[in-house]
Amino acid sequence: MEPHWDDMKIFLAVAREESLSGAGRILKLDPATVGRRIARLETSFDAPLFLKSPQGYSLTTAGERLLSHGEQAEEAMRAAAEALAGPKDTLEGQIRIGAPDGCANYLLPHVCARISEQNPDLDIQIVSLPRVVNLSRREADMAITVSPPSAGRLLVQKITDYKLNLVASRRLLATEDPIETLDDLKGRRFVGYIPDMIFDAELDYLNELGVERVQLASNSVSVQLKMVVQLGGFGIAHTFAMPSHRPLRKVLPEEFELTRSFYLVRHQSDQRSERMNRFAELLVSNLRDEVATLEAAT
């Protein structure tokens, strides 16, 4: 029995969601129908494609081999649709960007608003997660990361460097003993990430100051900065975030300043898509401009 392309779409959805119900929600099918279609595809290939367990559906060796072919077929269909539609002056459709909290809160809203104004038929979605976005599961079409991935069939492009500073509120600095050297920070209250929720070593900023205890912690950058302002304490702020938190002041900027980088990560197959290439070019150039503008304002 020849496999059906519609069944391949269902296979990709189950592989990415790791459950029949999750795939069903995306495809607007009930789980029983999804299960029957997977069974039909397994019969077509005369091979089990998934291992079923209480934790969900995981790919077998045969399923892993089929996955790359299914993704290539999916991209070929998408590219064919673009080719038949012909070139257009503006972008359209939906594009989802995954990004770390700082970028998603302080950079992407302005950047995506500008791109949207230029492309009114384009729907842009921002996914802010306290972890690395999983592109293989199509959680997003592209992701902004703070470290370049070293594995997978991915396109990686450096976007820009950005700065981070030690900060405190204007009120705290006016009422506490002056901070003249880094040694003066000993015994002070710090705000930062929840230690066991730091998903990338590049985010472990306070480690570079030798801070052993974080009295106020959150996995959200915006929450951290609000705690610095409202509750008092010292923290690390993206320089580009400081215009959004006017009470913050840099502390010892000549002695302590960090440099990190943003990277744009895409599916390698998207390199053949004019639409995705054009959007990536707009995103990168606008992000570079936004970081430069906001950092210059501090």
Side-chain angles (χ1 to χ4, degrees):
M1 182 170 63
E2 290 292 322
H4 295 252
W5 165 241
D6 281 348
D7 291 347
M8 184 67 77
K9 289 195 292 185
I10 290 174
F11 164 77
L12 291 173
V14 175
R16 289 163 183 163
E17 295 300 313
E18 299 179 348
S19 73
L20 300 182
S21 58
R25 281 194 299 273
I26 292 173
L27 300 168
K28 295 180 172 54
L29 296 172
D30 63 84
T33 300
V34 174
R36 286 194 297 271
R37 301 283 284 277
I38 289 297
R40 183 170 73 177
L41 192 63
E42 290 179 327
T43 299
S44 298
F45 288 114
D46 193 25
L49 302 175
F50 293 97
L51 294 172
K52 298 101 176 168
S53 73
Q55 287 72 43
Y57 278 55
S58 59
L59 290 169
T60 62
T61 301
E64 291 281 1
R65 288 199 296 268
L66 180 62
L67 180 63
S68 62
H69 293 289
E71 289 177 335
Q72 289 171 22
E74 180 184 52
E75 179 53 36
M77 291 292 288
R78 189 180 293 119
E82 280 189 31
L84 289 173
K88 297 186 177 181
D89 293 334
T90 60
L91 299 170
E92 60 184 33
Q94 175 186 295
I95 295 179
R96 180 177 295 175
I97 311 162
D101 185 48
C103 180
N105 272 288
Y106 300 106
L107 298 176
L108 285 180
H110 300 113
V111 165
C112 292
R114 284 199 295 269
I115 295 174
S116 180
E117 288 171 0
Q118 299 162 4
N119 300 273
D121 295 323
L122 179 65
D123 297 332
I124 306 173
Q125 299 178 348
I126 302 171
V127 179
S128 177
L129 293 174
R131 59 173 173 80
V132 177
V133 174
N134 191 328
L135 290 181
S136 65
R137 291 184 59 186
R138 291 285 173 175
E139 290 182 339
D141 296 299
M142 56 185 66
I144 296 167
T145 67
V146 293
S147 295
S150 56
R153 299 186 302 277
L154 300 168
L155 293 173
V156 181
Q157 176 184 3
K158 183 177 177 180
I159 300 173
T160 187
D161 291 333
Y162 61 94
K163 306 293 185 184
L164 301 110
N165 292 100
L166 177 66
V167 297
S169 71
R170 184 171 48 202
R171 182 179 57 185
L172 182 143
L173 293 174
T175 56
E176 291 203 359
D177 292 337
I179 304 296
E180 297 178 347
T181 70
L182 293 177
D183 287 338
D184 293 333
L185 293 169
K186 292 179 181 177
R188 304 296 180 110
R189 181 162 64 173
F190 277 90
V191 178
Y193 282 105
I194 300 171
D196 60 357
M197 296 186 73
I198 296 175
F199 61 89
D200 191 303
E202 292 293 308
L203 302 177
D204 195 5
Y205 312 131
L206 292 178
N207 183 57
E208 300 200 23
L209 276 174
V211 174
E212 297 179 355
R213 181 186 172 206
V214 180
Q215 292 92 330
L216 295 168
S218 172
N219 65 339
S220 165
V221 172
S222 60
V223 172
Q224 289 176 34
L225 298 186
K226 288 177 181 177
M227 287 196 289
V228 171
V229 171
Q230 297 172 13
L231 303 177
F234 294 83
I236 303 294
H238 301 77
T239 309
F240 60 68
M242 293 186 66
S244 296
H245 299 274
R246 292 297 180 183
L248 291 179
R249 293 292 180 267
K250 295 179 182 179
V251 178
L252 303 177
E254 292 80 16
E255 290 189 49
F256 186 84
E257 183 178 76
L258 300 176
T259 300
R260 296 290 190 267
S261 303
F262 284 132
Y263 298 86
L264 183 64
V265 184
R266 302 163 53 197
H267 301 278
Q268 192 174 61
S269 58
D270 285 348
Q271 194 170 22
R272 297 192 295 270
S273 168
E274 180 192 358
R275 172 174 167 271
M276 298 302 286
N277 288 335
R278 286 173 60 193
F279 181 82
E281 183 178 348
L282 284 172
L283 184 64
V284 168
S285 63
N286 276 274
L287 278 171
R288 286 173 179 164
D289 290 345
E290 188 72 7
V291 170
T293 299
L294 292 174
E295 288 190 344
T298 62

